[in-house]
Amino acid sequence: MSFTSVHDKVKPGCHFTLYGLELRERKWRPRLFNPVFRISALLLVLAALVSLPSRADEDLFALSKDLLIGSTSEREAAAESLIARGDRDMIPSLVLMMRIGGAHVETQRVLHALTGEELPTWRAAMLYQEAHPEILPHPSYTDLKFWYWRGIDERFLSFFKDPDPVARDALRIRFEEITWGGVRVDGIPALDNPKLISAGEADYLLDRDLVFGVEINGDARAYPLRIMGWHEMFNDVIGGVPVALAYCTLCGAGILFETKLEDRDEPFTFGSSGLLYRSNKLMFDRQTESLWNQFTGEPVSGPLAHSGIALRIRPTTITSWADWRARHPDSRVLSPETGYFRDYGSGVAYRDYFASPDLMFPAIADQTRLQQKEQVYGIRAAGGAKAWPLKAFSNEPVINDRVGFTNVVLIGDAVTRTVRAYDRGDVFFSGDPTYLNGPGGFWQITEDALVGPQGQRLPRVSGHVAYWFAWDGYLGAESALYEASE
């Protein structure tokens, strides 16, 4: 056997397979006149014919291209061949063809024959695929996907070092559900150690503008969403701690990760891969070019896929610039001089998407509980996870609750999406975000703790805002959902 790199074998316009086998000629002169030997030889030949891939299997990549970009007669012939073959392992390739070439009538015809369902759009086909993880792609699916991606940005291939990424132990997510998000690698440029200015210099901000507020070891920073919507990632050092904010505009989640691990000399730095998984961005680290799930902070492909690494989530707060500035007058703020030309106007980035109830890319969500783009605040803690709809804070600005093994108190403002959570122990609170009542009277709300009248401190608990579909898609099975009646 000999295996070649996917970078070498993926060449548009060339026929190839991913079996990775070289059949070498062998000199063999059977003793034809020995009946026993002739019967044995015949059995060996029959066994070999059964074990070799069929002509249809060998030509599946060529058939896929015929169905995708062939003439009318070639498309019809390819469709008939795939229908006659009848195996469901070509469904992922057909879904990908609908992404590349649209819902062509012949592609739809084959997809209907293999699934038994009408799937008129790529979105419908992707939702079907997500709902059927038992359907495993044929090896030629990798050929087709890399052929397609190579035409967009060859760097996509560098995230998949394994020669067989469709193998279930190669990636921690389904390869067939990874889709192109519309930009190349780093097409949404991360901000690395960006320029900061004082709060007094930030005259470009409106009081109502939302910011990601972060304070670590007394170092307060504000990163406006009107800028971060264009960049979706920053790598910075705050209060001496290397961190990265991964902002997935599609799933409404800005998550602050600590990027220095104890067993590594240097912190990770991240960029946007241009690829998505279930309408969630896949980021990548520049050290190993592993893909990471933005929502979980875990690597899913490449050298780190099975390393067991999970980045620590640090507290961050979405709030209005007016509120953050009042609480942190010495805060530094992200400068609009980023080195990139973008329209950083208030509410410009993703305006239509944020105003729509629809998703830009398909993902399954349980909408019997909440609508797919309702916003929730979620916490993952030892013993479980829980989400609180932001609308709950309209009537209950202070919520005493429990997640996993931890008693928590959440102080929220639905209008500005501001939620801070703390480990309350056995203490109960009431009041609102401006005046919090607890044992002994007034408690001060800070970025790292609740501070009581006698100096008691209850530590902050990390959480973040997200659209419901993303929280449910990644944590639904293990997550509780807060009900006001609780």
Side-chain angles (χ1 to χ4, degrees):
M1 292 188 181
S2 67
F3 292 87
T4 57
S5 164
V6 292
H7 299 77
D8 296 329
K9 60 177 170 262
V10 183
K11 297 179 180 178
C14 297
H15 173 71
F16 55 87
T17 66
L18 283 181
Y19 299 110
L21 296 174
E22 282 187 5
L23 301 179
R24 305 181 188 280
E25 183 181 359
R26 182 179 173 185
K27 293 183 179 180
W28 179 43
R29 297 179 180 178
R31 290 168 288 179
L32 299 177
F33 297 103
N34 184 328
V36 175
F37 190 88
R38 280 189 292 172
I39 293 173
S40 300
L42 179 60
L43 291 174
L44 286 171
V45 170
L46 290 174
L49 290 174
V50 170
S51 64
L52 286 173
S54 68
R55 176 67 182 170
D57 280 350
E58 289 181 345
D59 288 347
L60 281 175
F61 174 65
L63 283 175
S64 297
K65 290 210 302 180
D66 283 347
L67 186 60
L68 182 64
I69 58 175
S71 65
T72 299
S73 60
E74 288 172 333
R75 281 183 158 177
E76 291 174 351
E80 291 299 332
S81 295
L82 293 173
I83 291 173
R85 180 176 177 271
D87 287 346
R88 287 160 60 86
D89 61 0
M90 282 302 291
I91 290 174
S93 293
L94 294 162
V95 175
L96 179 58
M97 284 183 237
M98 293 184 74
R99 170 66 166 152
I100 302 171
H104 189 274
V105 62
E106 295 297 342
T107 306
Q108 287 190 69
R109 184 161 70 91
V110 182
L111 199 56
H112 175 69
L114 298 184
T115 65
E117 297 190 21
E118 294 291 342
L119 301 171
T121 64
W122 172 71
R123 181 177 297 272
M126 282 290 286
L127 293 175
Y128 175 89
Q129 180 171 257
E130 182 180 342
H132 291 275
E134 76 282 0
I135 299 175
L136 307 182
H138 186 273
S140 64
Y141 175 82
T142 305
D143 301 348
L144 181 65
K145 197 159 199 168
F146 283 163
W147 171 77
Y148 165 49
W149 280 351
R150 183 183 283 274
I152 301 168
D153 188 344
E154 192 167 344
R155 287 186 63 192
F156 289 148
L157 278 62
S158 66
F159 301 134
F160 305 93
K161 305 293 195 300
D162 193 286
D164 185 12
V166 300
R168 280 304 181 264
D169 59 350
L171 278 67
R172 293 180 59 194
I173 56 177
R174 294 175 70 193
F175 182 58
E176 57 272 29
E177 287 193 58
I178 299 176
T179 190
W180 179 45
V183 296
R184 297 182 177 184
V185 177
D186 284 323
I188 300 175
L191 299 176
D192 296 330
N193 301 308
K195 179 181 178 181
L196 301 171
I197 56 179
S198 69
E201 296 174 291
D203 53 4
Y204 73 96
L205 286 174
L206 305 177
D207 283 351
R208 68 174 183 272
D209 284 340
L210 299 182
V211 300
F212 290 109
V214 182
E215 184 185 45
I216 301 176
N217 298 328
D219 185 356
R221 311 274 187 93
Y223 299 85
L225 273 67
R226 58 192 277 183
I227 296 180
M228 291 308 303
W230 290 106
H231 296 278
E232 299 193 356
M233 178 76 65
F234 72 65
N235 299 284
D236 212 339
V237 178
I238 304 177
V241 179
V243 293
L245 181 87
Y247 179 29
C248 176
T249 50
L250 296 176
C251 59
I255 306 176
L256 186 70
F257 294 109
E258 188 171 323
T259 55
K260 176 68 171 66
L261 277 66
E262 290 184 1
D263 60 345
R264 300 185 69 90
D265 294 333
E266 298 294 330
F268 288 111
T269 55
F270 291 95
S272 294
S273 70
L275 302 175
L276 304 172
Y277 182 75
R278 298 183 180 179
S279 201
N280 171 257
K281 73 178 291 171
L282 292 172
M283 57 192 193
F284 73 99
D285 72 83
R286 301 191 186 282
Q287 286 77 10
T288 73
E289 292 192 316
S290 297
L291 285 179
W292 296 62
N293 185 327
Q294 177 269 355
F295 211 79
T296 65
E298 298 174 340
V300 295
S301 82
L304 300 179
H306 298 283
S307 63
I309 290 174
L311 299 177
R312 176 190 176 190
I313 298 177
R314 281 271 187 167
T316 185
T317 305
I318 296 178
T319 188
S320 69
W321 169 234
D323 179 75
W324 185 261
R325 183 182 57 204
R327 290 173 177 270
H328 306 280
D330 296 329
S331 175
R332 289 186 289 169
V333 190
L334 183 60
S335 169
E337 297 177 9
T338 62
Y340 299 93
F341 181 75
R342 300 289 189 275
D343 184 350
Y344 293 132
S346 184
V348 172
Y350 287 85
R351 175 188 286 131
D352 293 341
Y353 178 73
F354 292 152
S356 169
D358 299 324
L359 304 185
M360 193 177 296
F361 292 86
I364 293 175
D366 179 5
Q367 297 195 77
T368 62
R369 306 170 77 186
L370 292 175
Q371 294 301 301
Q372 58 186 3
K373 285 179 75 176
E374 283 194 56
Q375 292 176 324
V376 299
Y377 183 83
I379 296 175
R380 308 162 221 195
K386 192 165 188 174
W388 292 260
L390 287 191
K391 63 186 179 183
F393 295 98
S394 297
N395 297 321
E396 299 178 272
V398 177
I399 297 175
N400 296 278
D401 204 354
R402 182 178 180 85
V403 53
F405 305 133
T406 306
N407 290 329
V408 293
V409 58
L410 301 97
I411 303 106
D413 183 333
V415 175
T416 57
R417 301 183 226 166
T418 306
V419 182
R420 294 177 176 89
Y422 302 88
D423 184 341
R424 63 181 175 86
D426 296 325
V427 176
F428 287 85
F429 292 90
S430 62
D432 58 43
T434 60
Y435 194 91
L436 186 65
N437 289 304
F442 171 75
W443 285 62
Q444 183 182 3
I445 300 169
T446 74
E447 302 306 328
D448 59 354
L450 291 180
V451 182
Q454 283 77 47
Q456 311 99 305
R457 295 180 66 86
L458 299 177
R460 182 89 177 263
V461 174
S462 297
H464 62 86
V465 173
Y467 286 134
W468 168 245
F469 84 86
W471 184 267
D472 179 58
Y474 287 103
L475 297 162
E478 61 189 71
S479 174
L481 178 64
Y482 175 75
E483 303 283 349
S485 60
E486 295 180 29

